[in-house]
Amino acid sequence: MIPVISKLPQTGTTIFTVMSALAAELGAINLSQGFPDYNCAPELVELVNKAMQNGHNQYAPMPGLMALREQIAIKTEKLYGAVYNPDTEITVTAGGTQAVFTAISAVIHPNDEVIIFEPAYDCYAPAIKLMGGVVKSLELDPPDYRIAWDMVKRLINGKTKMIILNSPHNPTATILTKEDIEELSALVKNQDILILSDEVYEHLIYDGETHHSMARYPELQQRSFIVSSFGKTFHATGWKMGYCLAPAYLMTEFRKIHQFLVFSVNAPMQHAIAEYLKDENTYLSLPDFFQQKRDYFREGLKNTRFELLPCAGSYFQSVTYNAITDEKDSDYAIRLTKEIGVASIPVSAFYRKGTDKHVLRFCFAKRQETIDKAVDRLLKV
């Protein structure tokens, strides 16, 4: 064997793959990995089929189909009052994770420091490390997982290049508040700090709350990569369709990486989504759709021994299990899958140090019958 020096020596298979595989092996109900168990809209499938039949099966333009970028621009201005030039400031990507990786690759150099908030989605830190950057993490605590901005201020120095935000947040289901935006704006003012804002759950905001996209705030918009996901929005995670918004000076660098990473994204899906987006109800109806699922799942869990944590956005519900056992969350998640038949994600997987707060994450983007079966099993705990 030829010796290979790993670039990510501490990285193994993601917890999402592990728990989904375990659920499949045991026939457990999979509330671990974040994907629906129902299909996307039949109209959207028909539009993809139509695009294929019409011959849209060759390479799309590198930045994405112009018709789709134009619809993204219309949607963004309608929702957030932000004007993005579809020619120079919007790029269609192969999902949100690719957009995150591309943005980090485009601007992070060796020894640049990047601030992340843990628990954090697991693709952030590896991408930073691959670019030679330094991860500066701030751990957040349940139940509210609020950002202590005075601590963020202490982390900032001359090497700080980027702050990564995620709202609605995976896995904690928290959202940024107006106060968070004010604190963030004050911190980065007159600083050469970029923002990478992971907003893939932008439409999954509940109880009438506002999604505080970086696009809403001109002083933040001009330093931000904003990532979104059609897979999350339109219940089609397997399509791996997303996009990135950024001012032209940042998007120029983003596309330099994008063109050599994936070059372009599948054409028929782009044609279909461009047409589908013309009806704004396809995304404006999502908060009510998912809030009903959230409320139904939470109501069922109230009768279990789990303690519910707040859920203001995303399609995840976290719980603590301190009244049940003092096992490590990873051990308990595996035992729960084997003995009760419900798979979850141990939230320690979202901390680089494996910090264990005895919290599990469930996905409620499921059919009502799936939720009913899962709750019935969890009642036996």
Side-chain angles (χ1 to χ4, degrees):
M1 292 178 63
I2 299 173
V4 174
I5 300 175
S6 174
K7 288 190 173 184
L8 293 172
Q10 307 303 318
T11 301
T13 305
T14 70
I15 190 66
F16 310 107
T17 300
V18 170
M19 294 307 297
S20 285
L22 183 62
E25 176 189 341
L26 299 174
I29 298 170
N30 189 359
L31 303 188
S32 59
Q33 197 169 357
F35 60 84
D37 67 346
Y38 47 85
N39 207 354
C40 59
E43 300 90 336
L44 190 51
V45 175
E46 290 172 11
L47 286 169
V48 174
N49 187 34
K50 181 180 176 181
M52 289 179 172
Q53 295 290 345
N54 288 341
H56 298 299
N57 300 301
Q58 309 309 324
Y59 292 123
M62 182 271 286
L65 188 72
M66 179 53 78
L68 178 53
R69 285 182 277 151
E70 288 173 346
Q71 288 300 318
I72 294 169
I74 291 169
K75 169 177 171 283
T76 304
E77 184 172 8
K78 187 181 301 180
L79 290 174
Y80 310 125
V83 176
Y84 283 88
N85 184 331
D87 188 39
T88 59
E89 299 182 316
I90 300 173
T91 299
V92 180
T93 64
T97 299
Q98 185 243 309
V100 168
F101 185 90
T102 304
I104 291 170
S105 302
V107 297
I108 298 304
H109 295 268
N111 299 316
D112 284 344
E113 295 185 1
V114 181
I115 296 173
I116 68 172
F117 301 98
E118 294 184 327
Y121 187 58
D122 66 347
C123 77
Y124 305 155
I128 295 164
K129 292 177 182 177
L130 283 171
M131 298 308 118
V134 178
V135 179
K136 292 290 185 178
S137 57
L138 179 63
E139 291 195 2
L140 310 180
D141 295 316
D144 297 319
Y145 295 101
R146 299 317 316 170
I147 296 173
W149 291 102
D150 58 329
M151 297 299 292
V152 181
K153 186 175 183 179
R154 295 182 190 179
L155 290 177
I156 292 175
N157 59 61
K159 294 182 179 180
T160 306
K161 185 67 174 182
M162 175 182 279
I163 297 173
I164 299 181
L165 297 165
N166 176 206
S167 180
H169 189 265
N170 176 16
T172 69
T174 56
I175 59 175
L176 291 175
T177 66
K178 189 66 168 65
E179 291 72 26
D180 289 321
I181 296 298
E182 291 170 355
E183 294 275 11
L184 174 64
S185 298
L187 274 183
V188 300
K189 187 176 182 179
N190 300 323
Q191 300 260 23
D192 293 332
I193 298 176
L194 299 170
I195 294 170
L196 173 52
S197 187
D198 181 348
E199 302 182 16
V200 298
Y201 299 102
E202 62 177 318
H203 299 297
L204 280 60
I205 297 270
Y206 310 130
D207 305 314
E209 293 292 336
T210 297
H211 172 49
H212 291 286
S213 172
M214 297 302 109
R216 287 186 183 274
Y217 306 96
E219 71 278 12
L220 299 177
Q221 178 193 4
Q222 287 306 305
R223 63 175 75 230
S224 295
F225 294 98
I226 300 173
V227 173
S228 194
S229 166
F230 292 122
K232 297 294 192 297
T233 300
F234 294 139
H235 324 303
T237 59
W239 291 9
K240 294 301 294 178
M241 292 283 293
Y243 61 89
C244 182
L245 308 171
Y249 80 100
L250 293 178
M251 188 55 73
T252 297
E253 299 307 312
F254 182 96
R255 288 180 179 175
K256 289 177 183 178
I257 305 297
H258 173 80
Q259 68 183 338
F260 297 118
L261 190 58
V262 297
F263 182 70
S264 66
V265 179
N266 60 78
M269 271 92 169
Q270 291 196 54
H271 282 272
I273 293 174
E275 186 66 27
Y276 195 63
L277 278 173
K278 292 178 181 178
D279 179 3
E280 64 180 18
N281 288 320
T282 58
Y283 52 87
L284 293 181
S285 62
L286 288 173
D288 287 341
F289 175 80
F290 277 108
Q291 184 164 333
Q292 289 177 18
K293 290 186 178 294
R294 180 204 67 169
D295 293 347
Y296 189 79
F297 187 47
R298 286 177 65 87
E299 191 61 33
L301 288 178
K302 284 180 182 178
N303 298 314
T304 70
R305 297 172 67 195
F306 295 102
E307 180 183 345
L308 294 169
L309 298 184
C311 174
S314 82
Y315 49 45
F316 301 114
Q317 174 65 57
S318 290
V319 300
T320 59
Y321 57 85
N322 291 314
I324 302 170
T325 178
D326 61 359
E327 290 173 83
K328 294 194 315 183
D329 64 357
S330 54
D331 292 341
Y332 185 53
I334 290 172
R335 186 162 71 85
L336 199 65
T337 307
K338 291 180 176 179
E339 297 181 4
I340 302 298
V342 179
S344 60
I345 294 290
V347 172
S348 64
F350 294 84
Y351 293 88
R352 289 185 305 135
K353 296 179 181 178
T355 303
D356 185 359
K357 305 285 186 179
H358 287 186
V359 177
L360 302 179
R361 189 201 76 176
F362 295 111
C363 174
F364 57 78
K366 307 295 177 182
R367 293 170 295 165
Q368 184 170 323
E369 64 188 80
T370 304
I371 293 174
D372 286 340
K373 289 179 181 177
V375 169
D376 285 345
R377 295 182 183 188
L378 293 172
L379 284 169
K380 300 173 183 176
V381 172

